Amino acid sequence: MTDTTAATWLRAFATAVLDAEDRLTALDQAAGDGDFGANIAGAVRFTLADLDALAAGAAEDEVISAAASAFLDRVGGTSGPLFGLLFQEFAAATRQAGGFTTAALAAGASAGLAAIQRVGEAEVGDKTLVDALSPAADALSALPDDTPLAEAFAAAARAADEGARSTADVRARRGRASYVGDHAIGVVDPGAVTVGLLFAAGT
Amino acid sequence: MTDTTAATWLRAFATAVLDAEDRLTALDQAAGDGDFGANIAGAVRFTLADLDALAAGAAEDEVISAAASAFLDRVGGTSGPLFGLLFQEFAAATRQAGGFTTAALAAGASAGLAAIQRVGEAEVGDKTLVDALSPAADALSALPDDTPLAEAFAAAARAADEGARSTADVRARRGRASYVGDHAIGVVDPGAVTVGLLFAAGT
Amino acid sequence: MSPYFAASPDALVDDALAGFALAHADLVRLVPDPGYVTAVAPAPTRVVGLVSGGGSGHEPLHAGFVGAGLLDAACPGRVFASPHNRQVYAASKAVAGPGGVLHVVKNYTGDKINFAIAAERLQHDGIRCARVLVDDDVATDSADIAVGRRGTGATAVLEKLLGAAADTGADLDALVALGERVVAGSRSIAVASAAHTSPATGAPAFDLPAGEVEYGVGIHGERSGRTRPLGEVADLVRDMTGELLGSLGLAPGERVIALVNGLGRTTPMELYGIHRHFAAALADRGVVLERVLVGSVVTALDMRGFSLSATRTDDGLTALWDAPATAPAWKA
Amino acid sequence: MSPYFAASPDALVDDALAGFALAHADLVRLVPDPGYVTAVAPAPTRVVGLVSGGGSGHEPLHAGFVGAGLLDAACPGRVFASPHNRQVYAASKAVAGPGGVLHVVKNYTGDKINFAIAAERLQHDGIRCARVLVDDDVATDSADIAVGRRGTGATAVLEKLLGAAADTGADLDALVALGERVVAGSRSIAVASAAHTSPATGAPAFDLPAGEVEYGVGIHGERSGRTRPLGEVADLVRDMTGELLGSLGLAPGERVIALVNGLGRTTPMELYGIHRHFAAALADRGVVLERVLVGSVVTALDMRGFSLSATRTDDGLTALWDAPATAPAWKA
Ligand SMILES: Nc1ncnc2c1ncn2[C@@H]1O[C@H](COP(=O)(O)OP(=O)(O)O)[C@@H](O)[C@H]1O
Ligand SMILES: Nc1ncnc2c1ncn2[C@@H]1O[C@H](COP(=O)(O)OP(=O)(O)O)[C@@H](O)[C@H]1O
Ligand SMILES: [Mg+2]
Ligand SMILES: [Mg+2]
Ligand SMILES: [Mg+2]
Ligand SMILES: [Mg+2]
């Protein structure tokens, strides 16, 4: 597919999250406080409603902005605003690039990662969504700008999934999972898993 | 045995109650509020301590009075004071008879039943300890005064046990078990069972 | 092995009373033998001492309501067992006023017996003594139950109203009349979705299938013999409200003081959510919700459930409800 | 099928807020969108608005502490999820005084992020805004935990002291200084013998063997990785007390305000019994227990457990503690 649009991507992401909700709840329960599934599912439901409400010919960056404000302004927890910051940067990069392109995706991922780290202070290896987003951003930056968007998403998804898997091996040092010590070992981080879903949704 | 004394009787009763505590708890839990075992076990523990504290040559009626005041003045719930009233009447009848005799036992049981019914207003068939005490008192009244005490106890125990068994068939109309409706059917009343233990302890 | 943080059922009660007296030394005094709690600073205007009590496991009732403007003394029994008569007798002697002492008794055989024995002893000592018996639980309003309705949640409402009335200097007869009027105008109904944990066995006192509630449960875990699917909370609350109002014969425009009461394990969020539905159900029936207390005040150890109570009120009763009181579980 | 009396985790929060606002209309006002509660009658002497908030499931914290002499506003998030920044922003705008607004934030990443985003928006609007971060939980005092100690029970103590200080007309800098001093002098530790029920799954959030406690549990059910036999409650409490005092470096003769806090399912009897042991353990160490609050004020849904908190005090802080306040969960 080369006809990934911001709207198809975000709707596919929403479907994937709603399908995975129970699994994400279980992961956050094993190593956090159990609300991740509800938080992120609530967020994508708001996003779907906001997408439905959007005018027919909305520009790609406006579509992504709608997701950003759904996450930032209507969803609490840790994950809500962090994903919101990421969408905000995707929207800005898309506006800048004049379209939802591979270059915009790459630039948005890097800027989003930076924003998330500024606010949340997590490094790679702390067992957070940064462990998935950082390699995904790297993979996207390494792609030529003319890579088809769906291929770029696929590359990012591969890197994110690998990053997410790596979170199983470590103790968390950030977020709620940091309190549970060795209980978190063997459990992948739900935020990192969701970053994988986000990129896979564009393929 | 013909050497049943008030003290051997009360100590045997205490042992029987402590042995049966868990079963009595379970019965009160099935058809009441679950505290009967603890209430009655607490009562016999106080009684044992008070018997230990009694002067060596205490009269039989003083021995029984000690049990009465342990039950009446130190044990709450429904069963505590009701058994206390019963012991109070056994003590009075023993004092009157000048000894712990079959006549005293019979008179005490009848007077105790009357006191319990005055205070608690239960009739036979209401699924309370009255269902065991009433036939036991009747059985005792029917005995010749010269019946050996241990035999009198045995006759009372048989009547009480049969009365206790009959409580399984009925809905309770008095006491906590009256609220549970058909849940109590099939469950014998723990207070009635304990009346059986009380008389069996004298054999 | 009981999961309660206590060495034994008896330690549960005894350590609690000791810690309670430590924490509230400004308000109450504990007499460990035979076991009662008195108010440190009752209003000097009182002429009648107010005494209540009952089995433990329902905290903050009754000891939490000992204080100025409320009870003068409370006698806590063992878990779910009424106090023995010596507790009631001694507490009553300690707080009786020149006008005597009033016993507030929940309608249970054990409580009735022990308070009655104490009352005889008091009268023998020349102390005037009367009793108000609380019987608010509609679940036990049945011809099959010879002992009549149980006393439950409305006891807290009654104690507050009597406390305020006692502070006005009301005499024993006036307090009895008031108490009987409040009792006649009070009904409660309780449901549970899980039993309390028995301190004796460490196991749930009874088992319920998931998604079912025991409709009409007692505050000692007495089963009602009626279960129903939990379903929508709003529906459950509407049905419960209907029973209260039906039993009281409340007409549209009448006013109530209400209690939304947690039985132990029910969270504040649930109770307030239940109150939302309760207020709507009362409004639908045209009943005026004049005052409400939302909280776990008459509990059943760690039962997962709640009760609703309604007490018919008027300007006079509402003023008594609003009167100041300072007790460990009541400040206003 | 969740055993909670609520249609869904979201309904649990939303119905609770609606019912809370109904029950306490004399004290608080609810703004359902974006979701915050404000005090009806704050002291006119205040120049700084006091705002707190956090995930729901810890009631009565924070909304129960909105009122005169306490918080001006609270922002409840979904269950165990911090409020979103728009809630905090709108609540802060609604209650900011001429001296700005102070955020009381428990140290969790989500709370920090959302309050921080709101703070940026407030500053953008020209509203002075500062933050006091509560980090009292000694169980998370570890080099392995980059985010530092969690904020737990002592939050309730801090809110009371800051509320009383705000009523004196203290400015933002003074309140921050006071808040940081209180936080530096506060420690808590929690244990659980059974997890809370997850509203999402209806199952216990984690499993513990019978007779074991999770030592150092978090108020969202975060496991500590340390279990121990429950054993004697007195021993458990003594060990917990030792950790608090050790972490605070409290010397004999120093004074504390203490909190004995139930996590949800723990009964008042257990809490008072625990207090008995706590008071004894403090006395053994020569620490003066100046004030204590015993109750379930910072909960974790229906968790079976308790926390102990100690805050170093002096005449000034104790006077702030004693100052009058009227909120749904605090009357004195
Ligand atoms: N400091 C952080 N930086 C980036 N991501 C984080 C950080 N802390 C936690 N996360 C992510 O947030 C997720 C948890 O989100 P959520 O459950 O919504 O919040 P909470 O931890 O407040 O319950 C974790 O799986 C993790 O990926
Ligand atoms: N009205 C009554 N008259 C006589 N015995 C009664 C009456 N009510 C209850 N009982 C007896 O008391 C027993 C229960 O005692 P206990 O568990 O101590 O009291 P409670 O019912 O208050 O929990 C019952 O098994 C029954 O035999
Ligand atoms: Mg979480
Ligand atoms: Mg019983
Ligand atoms: Mg009982
Ligand atoms: Mg959370």
Side-chain angles (χ1 to χ4, degrees), chain A residues 104-151:
Chain A
L105 191 67
S110 294
L113 174 65
I116 285 171
Q117 291 192 293
R118 261 197 320 272
V119 169
E121 299 170 6
E123 302 293 331
V124 169
D126 282 353
K127 194 176 183 121
T128 71
L129 56 84
V130 167
D131 293 5
L133 185 57
S134 172
D138 289 348
L140 287 169
S141 303
L143 295 177
D145 277 359
D146 58 358
T147 312
L149 186 53
E151 263 177 48

Side-chain angles (χ1 to χ4, degrees), chain B residues 170-198:
Chain B
V170 294
R171 267 169 164 267
R173 298 186 66 256
R174 300 257 160 208
R176 298 266 154 109
S178 59
Y179 309 123
V180 306
D182 292 340
H183 276 287
I185 292 182
V187 181
V188 294
D189 178 70
V193 169
T194 303
V195 172
L197 298 179
L198 177 68

Side-chain angles (χ1 to χ4, degrees), chain A residues 17 19-40 127 177 180 183-184 186-191 193-194, chain D residues 198 200-206 221 223:
Chain A
V17 163
D19 286 349
E21 178 174 353
D22 289 350
R23 194 179 136 232
L24 296 170
T25 295
L27 289 174
D28 195 38
Q29 205 149 55
D33 60 353
D35 62 349
F36 182 86
N39 290 347
I40 199 84
K127 194 176 183 121
V180 306
H183 275 288
V187 180
V188 294
D189 178 70
V193 168
T194 303
Chain D
S198 161
T201 66
F206 58 84
R223 302 201 65 172

